[in-house]
Amino acid sequence: DVKVTQSSRYLVKRTGEKVFLECVQDMDHENMFWYRQDPGLGLRLIYFSYDVKMKEKGDIPEGYSVSREKKERFSLILESASTNQTSMYLCASSSPGYRYYEQYFGPGTRLTVT
Amino acid sequence: DQQVKQNSPSLSVQEGRISILNCDYTNSMFDYFLWYKKYPAEGPTFLISISSIKDKNEDGRFTVFLNKSAKHLSLHIVPSQPGDSAVYFCAASPNAGNNRKLIWGLGTSLGVNP
């Protein structure tokens, strides 16, 4: 059974803190993604990675960075958290081969920045 | 500029009736169109896809129709069940030259009333 796990379901942080969100997949997928979901704005891509140590900016990368040191793990970093980064963060993975359009999502991390 | 548009933020139907969710797109270079389903506090899950060379794909109660001349696709759920109540995202995959990212609509919240 395919699985994407995220380190926390709920997180509360203070403004200015450095925040790490971790994502692990067990499907040996090359592609991994970080999205945020906000009411009325759908899913917005923050960053994605198509290989270890490779990354590309998505649609809203400002204020975020990522790290992919191992194939199965993709981390999202908020360098200095701000209240406008309060959101649901979703990690996903996919394979570039057959059914490459099928992304597998983790359960999400609800981050609140106060 | 939204390349994939879901113009109805919400939809309400009676149990047993048909649910029709709509999606419009602007880019003729998409090669696959997808529907994902999302329950609250969970990540989206892949529901059904359609290739740009097809006009219909069916999977149980779910059928997706593609009208390329109108750049329009729709998801039909027949019969609708209360467990179908969720947010449905339409997404599109660019052609194989850039097959890692999906382009997402904003979602339609479906409520199925018993």
Side-chain angles (χ1 to χ4, degrees):
Chain A
D1 195 18
V2 298
K3 204 164 187 181
V4 179
T5 56
Q6 295 184 228
S7 50
S8 305
R9 292 301 300 269
Y10 300 94
L11 209 52
V12 180
K13 294 292 182 181
R14 294 196 179 274
T15 300
E17 278 193 81
K18 191 168 186 176
V19 181
F20 293 87
L21 302 182
E22 304 283 338
C23 175
V24 178
Q25 51 96 1
D26 66 358
M27 296 162 282
D28 201 36
H29 283 169
E30 286 82 356
N31 303 328
M32 295 188 75
F33 308 83
W34 274 107
Y35 294 92
R36 63 179 281 179
Q37 185 195 7
D38 300 288
L41 296 178
L43 295 172
R44 293 184 292 168
L45 182 65
I46 305 171
Y47 267 97
F48 71 100
S49 169
Y50 51 91
D51 202 351
V52 175
K53 298 190 186 295
M54 305 302 288
K55 61 185 179 184
E56 283 192 27
K57 292 180 180 179
D59 301 316
I60 51 163
E62 296 77 20
Y64 303 94
S65 62
V66 290
S67 172
R68 192 163 181 205
E69 297 295 321
K70 293 185 177 181
K71 190 176 185 180
E72 67 271 18
R73 187 179 297 269
F74 192 33
S75 302
L76 180 69
I77 303 151
L78 287 66
E79 297 291 342
S80 176
S82 64
T83 54
N84 63 13
Q85 293 178 310
T86 291
S87 186
M88 168 70 86
Y89 289 87
L90 293 160
C91 175
S93 71
S94 71
S95 171
Y98 176 65
R99 293 171 73 97
Y100 60 87
Y101 46 76
E102 187 169 350
Q103 294 188 6
Y104 295 85
F105 284 82
T109 296
R110 172 72 64 185
L111 172 67
T112 302
V113 183
T114 61
Chain B
D1 184 27
Q2 280 254 286
Q3 295 187 62
V4 175
K5 297 180 182 180
Q6 294 178 257
N7 292 318
S8 298
S10 63
L11 176 68
S12 182
V13 299
Q14 286 297 121
E15 181 178 4
R17 306 296 288 266
I18 184 171
S19 295
I20 301 176
L21 295 94
N22 294 303
C23 181
D24 297 300
Y25 62 95
T26 58
N27 186 343
S28 299
M29 297 304 290
F30 292 134
D31 64 346
Y32 273 94
F33 299 91
L34 313 315
W35 286 95
Y36 280 75
K37 177 179 178 179
K38 185 183 184 301
Y39 292 117
E42 294 184 14
T45 55
F46 171 77
L47 185 59
I48 192 169
S49 66
I50 188 166
S51 165
S52 60
I53 62 172
K54 303 280 178 113
D55 53 21
K56 179 182 174 181
N57 187 27
E58 192 172 352
D59 184 1
R61 296 186 298 114
F62 302 91
T63 303
V64 57
F65 295 92
L66 177 62
N67 182 335
K68 287 183 282 294
S69 61
K71 293 191 175 72
H72 177 83
L73 64 152
S74 59
L75 174 68
H76 293 213
I77 307 173
V78 184
S80 302
Q81 299 174 354
D84 296 329
S85 297
V87 176
Y88 289 79
F89 289 100
C90 173
S93 174
N95 62 30
N98 183 18
N99 64 13
R100 295 183 289 268
K101 288 168 45 174
L102 298 179
I103 311 301
W104 297 84
L106 298 186
T108 296
S109 178
L110 172 67
V112 180
N113 306 309

